[in-house]
Amino acid sequence: MAVSATGPVRSSAYADRVVAVETGDIEPVGAGDRHGTPRQLFWTWSSPNLEFATIFVGVLAVSVFGLSFWQAIAAVVLGNGLGALTHGLLSARGPRYGVPQMVLSRLGFGYWGNLAPAALMSVTAGIGWFAVNSVSGAFALNTLTGLPLPASLAVVVVVQSGIAFFGHNLVQAYEKYVFAVLAVIFAIVTVVTFAQAHPNAPSGAGGVGGFLLTMGAAFGYAAGWNPYAADYTRYLPATVSGRAVGWFAALGLFVSCTVLMGVGAASATIGGGADQTPTAAFTGHLPGWLATITLLAIVLGAIAANALNIYSGALAFLTLGITLPLAWRRAIVALGFGAVGYVLALFGLSDAGAAYENFLLVISYWIAPWLGVVFADQWLCAGRDASALLTDRSRIGWPGLVSFLAGAVISILFFANQSLYLGPVPAAIPQIGDITFLVGFVIAAALYLILGRRGVARSLS
């Protein structure tokens, strides 16, 4: 194994082999294993969002947050646009360093300070999102086959955990080949849904607050992929265009999220049975043959999303520095996350709608201040090689950690989820909605620009 400024470099025969267990984990990818082109990122980030969880954001905008269809579209375009922009910027750094996103996070947080966001990423991706998406896939499989929900959930979890077990190349291959199937099915669903929808129906008086809640939920959904960004670009050759990498990643995320959230908003104007499961309510207005293949698409889409969730969650877990005496430690951790996610998903089968709404609104709260630190550090390090900092265990990274915690804690004042906690600001000014993610980002970025400037200059001198 060779050594670079970022630590030991993987030298293996993995390369572009698909049906092979990925032998490395968080160390830099060597030149011999680099392969692929930027355009593959379009389906890498389209396929995992062509699923019911994406649709449900649009449903929430109209049925829960009280927006009209057109108000919902405007909100999700803005929210997805911001999430896709940050995703593209983060993705572009992967080929240069060849390491996962949560390893790159050490640049702003230091080796030890980075333990906080890495732990949060492990929980939210490898367990949280995994459980949420598994539930939607299980509902679809249950409606499609009549298989009991726990058994449907088991089938979905086993398949997606198996893909993540093999690793990066099989994950990418699945996203590529399932994309064509999902794109065709959801294109037909989009046409049929809009033909029956009532886009000019009056809103439910959601107002500015409902608009900001929807925008925050859309941003939380799109930006929820941000901590994964470099995980799927680190295998690309170091010579690829960073701009192309960023654009393809951002477009895949933006287009898929916006189209399907729009479909969800349109479907909410049609109406459905209140006693139905979410997936059954969505497919209830479709012709029988289309409802059947749509349920299949929802299952395939849930697997596409969770293959990424469990794979990246395992990488984040290993970033914590936990030593495991295993030859395939990333693969084994992925299976462990799958087992834990299955148990948690079982508890989400009874109240999927409320649980999903709360999770969407909460997920962006830690990601926003994390992004603030990451981008502020990138600004301070512009034009300089910071790769040596990735393995420097002497860096506690207190400026990044303090900025992150300050942004996260102060932004709680703006928390606007009625079923969990209503902060004093939206309580006093209901029209403000939920701007927690914006406040967290701005505070963390501004504070890091002040606290981290001297440390960055000293580290890179």
Side-chain angles (χ1 to χ4, degrees):
M1 182 176 288
V3 178
S4 74
T6 57
V9 176
R10 181 191 319 166
S11 178
S12 71
Y14 183 60
D16 59 354
R17 296 167 61 201
V18 175
V19 187
V21 177
E22 184 181 3
T23 53
D25 40 67
I26 64 172
E27 71 274 15
V29 178
D33 284 333
R34 300 290 189 110
H35 61 279
T37 62
R39 68 173 177 271
Q40 73 190 43
L41 297 170
F42 183 82
W43 51 72
T44 297
W45 292 113
S46 291
S47 295
N49 294 300
L50 296 176
E51 56 138 355
F52 184 71
T54 316
I55 292 170
F56 201 55
V57 180
V59 173
L60 289 174
V62 174
S63 63
V64 177
F65 300 147
L67 299 185
S68 70
F69 170 78
W70 295 111
Q71 291 170 337
I73 292 298
V76 300
V77 165
L78 289 174
N80 289 332
L82 290 173
L85 173 63
T86 54
H87 193 71
L89 294 172
L90 293 171
S91 297
R93 304 187 85 187
R96 175 183 176 184
Y97 292 97
V99 295
Q101 187 63 57
M102 294 314 295
V103 174
L104 284 176
S105 178
R106 292 172 178 171
L107 295 176
F109 284 87
Y111 189 93
W112 299 108
N114 190 57
L115 297 182
L120 286 168
M121 169 62 177
S122 299
V123 173
T124 56
I127 298 176
W129 275 116
F130 182 84
V132 167
N133 287 318
S134 294
V135 168
S136 64
F139 274 128
L141 189 59
N142 164 258
T143 306
L144 180 64
T145 65
L147 194 67
L149 274 174
S152 297
L153 180 64
V155 171
V156 171
V157 168
V158 167
V159 173
Q160 55 205 14
S161 299
I163 294 172
F165 174 84
F166 280 92
H168 176 274
N169 291 348
L170 184 56
V171 170
Q172 293 276 28
Y174 179 82
E175 307 299 342
K176 175 181 179 179
Y177 292 112
V178 80
F179 172 72
V181 177
L182 296 176
V184 170
I185 293 175
F186 280 116
I188 299 172
V189 170
T190 299
V191 173
V192 173
T193 300
F194 275 89
Q196 301 179 55
H198 307 286
N200 294 320
S203 69
V208 175
F211 185 91
L212 292 175
L213 280 167
T214 300
M215 182 178 168
F219 172 79
Y221 188 89
W225 295 114
N226 286 181
Y228 308 52
D231 297 359
Y232 304 97
T233 63
R234 74 192 201 280
Y235 272 88
L236 294 173
T239 55
V240 298
S241 165
R243 180 171 296 182
V245 169
W247 272 112
F248 276 108
L251 282 174
L253 184 60
F254 177 78
V255 172
S256 58
C257 285
T258 302
V259 171
L260 259 66
M261 289 180 192
V263 172
S267 73
T269 68
I270 300 173
D275 58 342
Q276 293 178 299
T277 64
T279 50
F282 173 71
T283 57
H285 66 276
L286 302 176
W289 65 271
L290 183 56
T292 298
I293 63 173
T294 300
L295 290 169
L296 175 62
I298 290 173
V299 176
L300 296 176
I303 292 171
N306 274 343
L308 301 187
N309 284 322
I310 195 168
Y311 177 78
S312 289
L315 291 178
F317 180 80
L318 294 173
T319 305
L320 297 173
I322 298 173
T323 302
L324 298 174
L326 303 170
W328 293 345
R329 60 177 189 162
R330 179 210 53 79
I332 300 301
V333 170
L335 292 183
F337 275 14
V340 175
Y342 173 77
V343 174
L344 290 180
L346 282 174
F347 292 98
L349 293 175
S350 60
D351 191 16
Y356 184 59
E357 175 193 346
N358 293 335
F359 188 78
L360 275 174
L361 292 173
V362 170
I363 192 65
S364 64
Y365 295 166
W366 80 264
I367 293 177
W370 173 78
L371 286 171
V373 172
V374 168
F375 284 123
D377 181 77
Q378 190 169 339
W379 175 272
L380 294 177
C381 294
R384 291 181 283 186
D385 183 11
S387 56
L389 303 182
L390 296 175
T391 55
D392 184 359
R393 295 194 175 217
S394 67
R395 294 182 67 233
I396 297 176
W398 68 266
L401 184 58
V402 169
S403 301
F404 171 75
L405 293 175
V409 171
I410 295 175
S411 65
I412 292 176
L413 298 174
F414 297 82
F415 200 107
N417 188 303
Q418 299 281 353
S419 61
L420 292 180
Y421 173 71
L422 184 65
V425 176
I429 315 173
Q431 298 83 359
I432 202 172
D434 193 326
I435 58 171
T436 310
F437 68 94
L438 177 61
V439 172
F441 178 89
V442 171
I443 290 176
L447 192 56
Y448 186 81
L449 288 174
I450 297 172
L451 299 178
R453 184 177 300 274
R454 182 175 298 178
V456 169
R458 183 168 58 250
S459 298
L460 298 179
S461 60

